[in-house]
Amino acid sequence: MTAVRGTGGRRARARGAAAVFACLLAAVPAAAQIFAEQEVLVRGFVSQGYLNTANNNYLVPRSVNGTAEFHETGLIVTAVPRDRLRVGIQLMGRNFGDTGNDQVVLDWAFGDYRWKDELGLRAGKIKMPYGLYNEGRDVDLLRTTVFLPQSVYDERMRDFMLAYEGAAAYGSVTLGGAGDLDYHLFGGTLNVADPSHGFWGESYAEAAREIEPEIARLAEQDLGLEPGSAEATFAFIRDPEVTFPWIYGGSVTWNPPVPGLRLGASAMQGRFNYRGEIIYDIALVDPVAHKAHLSSFSLDIDQTLRVDRIYSVSAEYLTGAWQFVAELGGTKIEGQKDAGYYVQTGYRFGKVVSAAATWSQYWADTEDREGKIYEARGLPAYYAWQHDGTLSLRLDLTSHWLLKIEHHFLNGTAMAEYLGVARELEAPSSRRWGMLAAKTTFHF
Amino acid sequence: MTGRIWTRTGAIGLAVALWAALAVGVPRGSAQPDRGLRIIAHPGVGVDAVDERFVERVYLGKRSRWPDGTTVVPVMLKSGPVQERFVESYLDRSLSRFVNYWRQAVFTGKGVPPQAFDREAELAAFVAATPGAMGFWSGRTPPSGVKILTIE
């Protein structure tokens, strides 16, 4: 679970994946489109990005130094073996800071039996229906922006918002003169692929560091030391596991008889367990006087948390070259509620250039939007929110190659705070800060 | 407390109102449907007329059956002005938006796009030979072996 991977191995895997995709791209005719002649469809993409933040670290450790550890590779195969039945699979390799490490994983894979237009059934690993864009969040070529707005599509929560393993009922119901309604109802389980890194790794570390003084007291009793003579330092977590034994929910999208308009809502509920063994290093506060006795101490954790709800409400209007989107979303986990929303306007200038402007607001605790609780703890109030104005530019340089660049003007650090707390990095220190992201994608 | 709620509600309301005003204020870019195209089908298809909404839903992958319950097999062109005209007039969207719609469906596993051909003659030949097939034709003289559907 916590396999240590050498840099050399990681580079070799990245080179291998790049070579495979180079071969696939070379095999694709220049004029190939998304529409194919064959019944087995093979598509793919490879993306490389760059991320740099000013003043505060965000999304990846030490982002203030800039990082190119930001790439994805995906290969999709879909086939229709018989009438009403469809099967598909996507393999994906990803590296984002210290998560993913280019390990090829099953992104989604399912069988789909479409009994009627109003009712189809899917089983397997299926993309989570949340908001209008969650199912395509890993596919850079589907949007103008580099990142989906973080107030609704929190990158830190990607691992458990991406896909579930289970079954779904879906369909499209005609509402006569009122348009039609698409729905997707699901139930299943979910396993976080690598909880030793990224958001989950940081969460484990944060929880582990909070109880270091208590661990030191326990270690003193174990080792027969005087009270106050030992200190405990979190070292690492062994065999972490984050699983959802069950999760269920659904989404509905109403397409009213107004061309280009769709309105959606989604909601889900579940429970998740996190387990693992936290390892602490134990050291004597005064090693000379006590003839230095070093040890380690382990603590098993096994906890279940209730996800009361994860929800979104969405509106999208496409007209001519314009795109207008507004979405809000939030979670309630063990009674703690966060929430955010964004509005976005996009415009396509001909076939090459697209641009988007996004305004996004997020609050980590809806009961403390102004940061009073943080202030009472002696911390900056701006830890409570994160507001983000983003300008994005996309260039479709050829039919297979695109380039994007965007700048985020940020106020508040609600989503950046955890990196500083858990990582022993410099805690967020600037209320106003910025992020530059660029990405290029080849696709076929 | 009340002031805080009003401040928050006001900020969100203002943002949404600005967004909505901008959205409503933008003129529609789409043109009137171009009837220079005819919808064609395999001669064995049991209907003679369909409405525009039916055509749109078929090409968006939301409708997979003819009204008599048999499978509909939509086909189209890979690119070009006829394809563009069909998408804009019958599907009420730009070709790039239509391509993006199917990209999203393919890359998330939600669907397989209509089969596409390089030339109209190939498309018409496929429709003539494939039970349940539906396509379009821009020429004045209908191709042989297909039926022309009336759009209601």
Side-chain angles (χ1 to χ4, degrees), chain B residues 1 19 37 56 82 95 112 125:
Chain B
M1 183 66 185
W19 174 83
L37 292 175
E56 180 187 2
V82 174
L95 184 58
V112 177

Side-chain angles (χ1 to χ4, degrees), chain A residues 216-231:
Chain A
R217 302 295 84 80
L218 288 171
E220 285 161 0
Q221 289 172 17
D222 256 21
L223 299 169
L225 299 171
E226 291 174 20
S229 60
E231 64 180 19

Side-chain angles (χ1 to χ4, degrees), chain A residues 81-352:
Chain A
R82 51 174 293 186
D83 188 28
R84 301 176 196 258
L85 182 65
R86 187 165 50 82
V87 293
I89 184 172
Q90 175 170 305
L91 297 173
M92 185 158 175
R94 181 174 185 263
N95 188 16
F96 188 52
D98 57 1
T99 62
N101 295 327
D102 291 312
Q103 271 194 308
V104 176
V105 298
L106 201 61
D107 198 43
W108 54 260
F110 59 83
D112 180 333
Y113 183 76
R114 191 170 179 177
W115 180 47
K116 303 170 91 172
D117 292 325
E118 294 79 13
L119 179 61
L121 299 171
R122 291 177 182 143
K125 186 172 184 181
I126 304 165
K127 288 281 191 176
M128 190 80 81
Y130 171 74
L132 294 176
Y133 309 115
N134 186 61
E135 290 161 293
R137 71 188 296 162
D138 280 340
V139 188
D140 185 59
L141 64 102
L142 298 178
R143 57 180 176 269
T144 303
T145 58
V146 174
F147 289 104
L148 286 169
Q150 294 296 292
S151 55
V152 175
Y153 300 98
D154 187 346
E155 193 62 29
R156 301 170 306 162
M157 309 299 249
R158 175 188 174 279
D159 281 340
F160 86 73
M161 291 303 294
L162 199 63
Y164 61 90
E165 291 165 29
Y170 75 98
S172 182
V173 180
T174 305
L175 303 175
D180 54 69
L181 193 74
D182 303 333
Y183 70 91
H184 177 167
L185 304 173
F186 73 93
T189 64
L190 199 158
N191 295 303
V192 174
D194 183 7
S196 58
H197 294 101
F199 174 75
W200 294 102
E202 307 300 341
S203 300
Y204 272 111
E206 183 178 349
R209 288 204 169 93
E210 277 181 5
I211 57 169
E212 281 175 347
E214 287 79 6
I215 298 298
R217 302 295 84 80
L218 288 171
E220 285 161 0
Q221 289 172 17
D222 256 21
L223 299 169
L225 299 171
E226 291 174 20
S229 60
E231 64 180 19
T233 309
F234 167 69
F236 64 95
I237 180 111
R238 180 181 289 153
D239 298 335
E241 263 185 52
V242 178
T243 57
F244 282 69
W246 55 268
I247 185 166
Y248 66 89
S251 71
V252 289
T253 305
W254 177 39
N255 306 290
V258 177
L261 179 64
R262 58 177 177 154
L263 306 167
S266 63
M268 63 190 87
Q269 198 172 59
R271 280 180 196 283
F272 68 93
N273 301 325
Y274 64 98
R275 300 186 196 87
E277 187 181 6
I278 304 175
I279 309 298
Y280 292 89
D281 287 329
I282 306 298
L284 297 180
V285 175
D286 183 355
V288 176
H290 294 271
K291 295 183 181 176
H293 183 96
L294 296 176
S295 180
S296 63
F297 190 92
S298 73
L299 178 71
D300 289 325
I301 53 168
D302 185 349
Q303 196 165 357
T304 300
L305 294 180
R306 190 180 69 247
V307 180
D308 301 304
R309 63 172 177 264
I310 300 174
Y311 66 92
S312 70
V313 180
S314 314
E316 179 193 72
Y317 182 50
L318 311 176
T319 179
W322 289 91
Q323 177 185 38
F324 301 94
V325 187
E327 291 194 284
L328 62 88
T331 66
K332 183 181 177 190
I333 298 176
E334 288 289 330
Q336 167 118 4
K337 292 183 282 186
D338 75 348
Y341 81 95
Y342 75 90
V343 290
Q344 183 178 77
T345 298
Y347 188 80
R348 191 173 172 95
F349 302 87
K351 292 186 174 176
V352 176

Side-chain angles (χ1 to χ4, degrees), chain A residues 47-91:
Chain A
S47 297
Q48 174 62 54
Y50 176 77
L51 177 70
N52 195 354
T53 58
N55 303 335
N56 300 323
N57 291 300
Y58 182 44
L59 295 176
V60 300
R62 296 178 182 80
S63 60
V64 291
N65 297 335
T67 180
E69 283 194 312
F70 181 16
H71 52 260
E72 294 118 25
T73 308
L75 181 67
I76 294 107
V77 181
T78 302
V80 185
R82 51 174 293 186
D83 188 28
R84 301 176 196 258
L85 182 65
R86 187 165 50 82
V87 293
I89 184 172
Q90 175 170 305
L91 297 173

Side-chain angles (χ1 to χ4, degrees), chain A residues 33-37 41 43-45 76 78 80 83-84 86 90 108 110 114 117 122 132 135-136 139 141-142 172 174 179-180 182 255 259 317-320 322 324-326 341 343-345 348 369-370 399 443-444, chain B residues 4 8 11-12 15-16 19 22-23 26-30 53 57 61-65 69 71 76-79 83-84 92 94 96-100 102-104 106-118:
Chain A
Q33 300 275 331
I34 191 71
F35 308 110
E37 289 170 354
L41 207 61
R43 293 289 178 267
F45 60 88
I76 294 107
T78 302
V80 185
D83 188 28
R84 301 176 196 258
R86 187 165 50 82
Q90 175 170 305
W108 54 260
F110 59 83
R114 191 170 179 177
D117 292 325
R122 291 177 182 143
L132 294 176
E135 290 161 293
V139 188
L141 64 102
L142 298 178
S172 182
T174 305
D180 54 69
D182 303 333
N255 306 290
Y317 182 50
L318 311 176
T319 179
W322 289 91
F324 301 94
V325 187
Y341 81 95
V343 290
Q344 183 178 77
T345 298
R348 191 173 172 95
R369 292 178 189 244
E370 293 171 353
S399 56
H443 58 93
F444 64 90
Chain B
R4 193 186 76 172
R8 184 199 320 156
I12 294 173
V16 172
W19 174 83
L22 193 54
V26 174
R28 290 290 314 280
S30 102
R53 188 79 176 142
R57 287 172 60 77
K62 294 185 175 187
R63 182 90 191 224
S64 61
R65 307 274 149 189
T71 302
M76 57 198 310
L77 297 172
K78 286 180 181 171
S79 58
Q83 168 72 4
E84 200 164 334
D92 219 346
S94 67
S96 65
R97 189 151 287 153
F98 180 66
V99 170
N100 212 41
W102 276 111
R103 273 184 183 153
Q104 181 143 6
V106 168
F107 281 94
T108 57
K110 291 172 80 174
V112 177
Q115 193 166 335
F117 297 91
D118 288 316

